[in-house]
Amino acid sequence: MKNISVITKVLKETMLSYFRPSIKHLILHITNRCNMRCRHCFVDIDKAVQELTLNEIGTISKKFSDLIWLDIGGGEPTLRDDLEEIVSLFDFKELSIPTNGWDTNRIVKMLKKIHLNTDGKLIVTLSLDGMQRTHDEIRCPMSFERTIQTFNRLKEINGMRIKFNTVLCEKNVEEIIDLMHFVRGLRPAFHSILMLRGVSRDPSMRLPSVERMKMLESDIYRIQRSYDYGRRGILLRVQRNYQAYKRELTMKALEVRRQPVLCRAGISHLVIWPEGSVSICELLSSIGNIREKTLEGLLNSAEMKRAISSVRKGDCFCTHDCNMIENILLNPNSYLKLLR
């Protein structure tokens, strides 16, 4: 029933977005604290910030009372003791919480409570960036073993949807297919292959060439097509076609160096950082801070209008997976691709 609810909401918002657009996908970074120092990370986790309080986040939630997608970000989100309380403030159809999987007992305890107490569909994402040696070199020693341990514990929780994310880079490109086969054997809900983005902590971490990535596409497609995503029937077909179409658009963006579809950053998509800064995309500059100006004021500001206009004019392009979801699902021109 939760899957049907999401589809119904998406179709409704697709129609409304042309006449009365509103933010339906919020990425809320609740901390930049992290117990790892991953070489490919684009988040500034070394700078100490005064994190938004629960009361401040409560004020934000009143503005976004009808979300489709709520993504919790970090840092490592489970380092905030009030993670469950933060999530409970929002109304959403799907909730995504990423974790590096390091502190198994803490992660399992927190996410189990959220899973049992939330009305929306929870998707837990574990990071796995290579086979054991590569993953540990990118993240930290013992992190591969900890991640698999956390996955196995989370898998014991009935009904929890768990997926893996891998950030594709030159460091892991030669073993990405082997990694995908390994992950497939673990039987998660899905395995996403994301493109390295932003400015990495380690400047030597780079995205492979387009030519190298195109050589992998058929194998990646075949493995991803084997997942059922926890869905059946037409919903399974749509989900598989969505993943294929998203990869097609991602590769096209890298080849032509521009957005192949309308980017809805600032129209349907918004990012709020741990200290209150607001951006229309994780990869773009802040338009202001909610501690200095009301959220309503920021959303109607000249800075907001300029940021959206810049995206519309094609001043930037990216392969940002989080933005693709509404760029595709809230675009009726995509539907033939999704239903084929």
Side-chain angles (χ1 to χ4, degrees):
M1 289 302 293
K2 288 182 179 180
N3 287 336
I4 296 295
S5 176
V6 173
I7 294 294
T8 302
K9 185 69 174 174
V10 166
L11 291 174
K12 177 183 175 183
E13 291 304 325
T14 300
M15 293 184 288
L16 290 175
S17 64
Y18 284 87
F19 308 101
R20 185 169 48 84
S22 61
I23 301 300
K24 293 301 170 186
H25 186 181
L26 176 65
I27 300 181
L28 179 65
H29 288 263
I30 59 175
T31 185
N32 71 338
R33 290 177 286 138
C34 193
N35 41 21
M36 292 187 186
R37 293 295 183 269
C38 304
R39 293 168 59 190
H40 56 21
C41 186
F42 68 91
V43 177
D44 185 357
I45 56 177
D46 296 319
K47 180 181 178 182
V49 301
Q50 185 180 354
E51 296 169 354
L52 292 172
T53 66
L54 191 61
N55 284 338
E56 288 175 315
I57 294 173
T59 301
I60 294 169
S61 71
K62 292 173 183 174
K63 175 63 181 175
F64 303 114
S65 58
D66 191 27
L67 294 169
I68 301 178
W69 304 283
L70 173 63
D71 293 359
I72 300 297
E76 170 56 37
T78 61
L79 291 181
R80 275 202 65 150
D81 294 332
D82 56 358
L83 174 59
E84 183 185 3
E85 288 82 3
I86 290 172
V87 168
S88 70
L89 295 170
F90 290 87
D91 180 22
F92 49 81
K93 296 299 181 185
E94 286 196 348
L95 167 68
S96 176
I97 302 179
T99 177
N100 57 33
W102 180 258
D103 192 341
T104 299
N105 290 334
R106 179 182 178 88
I107 291 166
V108 171
K109 181 179 179 180
M110 295 181 84
L111 296 183
K112 183 176 182 179
K113 289 177 68 176
I114 292 172
H115 172 64
L116 294 174
N117 295 320
T118 182
D119 291 331
K121 188 177 186 70
L122 171 63
I123 303 167
V124 176
T125 301
L126 286 160
S127 298
L128 200 67
D129 289 312
M131 301 302 288
Q132 186 162 3
R133 180 177 177 179
T134 301
H135 176 88
D136 286 356
E137 286 179 358
I138 291 174
R139 290 182 172 268
C140 70
M142 299 295 294
S143 58
F144 182 94
E145 182 179 331
R146 293 280 194 101
T147 298
I148 300 304
Q149 175 181 290
T150 299
F151 170 76
N152 288 329
R153 288 277 304 280
L154 289 171
K155 200 174 175 183
E156 296 171 359
I157 302 172
N158 186 45
M160 180 175 284
R161 188 179 177 198
I162 314 158
K163 65 188 285 282
F164 284 97
N165 272 2
T166 298
V167 177
L168 184 64
C169 59
E170 287 186 346
K171 181 71 176 175
N172 60 21
V173 65
E174 297 304 326
E175 62 186 49
I176 196 68
I177 302 304
D178 288 341
L179 177 65
M180 292 185 73
H181 283 301
F182 170 77
V183 170
R184 190 69 186 90
L186 297 174
R187 302 181 68 83
F190 184 55
H191 182 193
S192 290
I193 307 300
L194 313 179
M195 303 296 183
L196 181 73
R197 65 184 189 271
V199 180
S200 302
R201 289 175 58 83
D202 181 350
S204 71
M205 301 295 285
R206 294 184 294 269
L207 192 65
S209 69
V210 174
E211 291 73 22
R212 182 69 186 95
M213 290 188 287
K214 288 176 74 172
M215 291 172 62
L216 298 168
E217 278 302 294
S218 61
D219 286 334
I220 291 175
Y221 174 81
R222 178 174 47 80
I223 298 169
Q224 289 190 330
R225 195 81 178 172
S226 71
Y227 285 94
D228 66 14
Y229 306 90
R231 308 183 194 277
R232 293 179 295 177
I234 191 171
L235 293 181
L236 173 57
R237 185 201 306 172
V238 168
Q239 184 74 50
R240 284 175 172 168
N241 289 339
Y242 165 76
Q243 295 296 334
Y245 186 41
K246 181 176 66 173
R247 291 200 65 78
E248 177 186 323
L249 292 175
T250 296
M251 294 306 298
K252 186 173 182 180
L254 289 171
E255 288 183 282
V256 302
R257 312 292 292 178
R258 59 180 172 80
Q259 289 292 358
V261 292
L262 171 69
C263 180
R264 303 189 66 84
I267 303 169
S268 304
H269 179 103
L270 197 73
V271 181
I272 300 180
W273 296 95
E275 83 294 348
S277 294
V278 177
S279 306
I280 67 170
C281 172
E282 286 179 316
L283 304 181
L284 297 178
S285 300
S286 167
I287 61 166
N289 192 298
I290 61 172
R291 284 174 167 160
E292 299 167 0
K293 193 171 185 177
T294 66
L295 185 54
E296 186 70 29
L298 288 173
L299 295 179
N300 292 298
S301 66
E303 291 82 2
M304 179 72 160
K305 292 180 174 64
R306 279 196 294 269
I308 294 174
S309 175
S310 176
V311 171
R312 285 282 183 96
K313 288 189 297 183
D315 291 342
C316 61
F317 80 95
C318 71
T319 60
H320 194 354
D321 203 75
C322 294
N323 290 72
M324 282 292 188
I325 189 168
E326 62 269 8
N327 292 352
I328 294 175
L329 295 184
L330 297 183
N331 181 353
N333 294 327
S334 301
Y335 288 0
L336 286 178
K337 291 272 190 179
L338 300 179
L339 295 170
R340 63 187 173 186

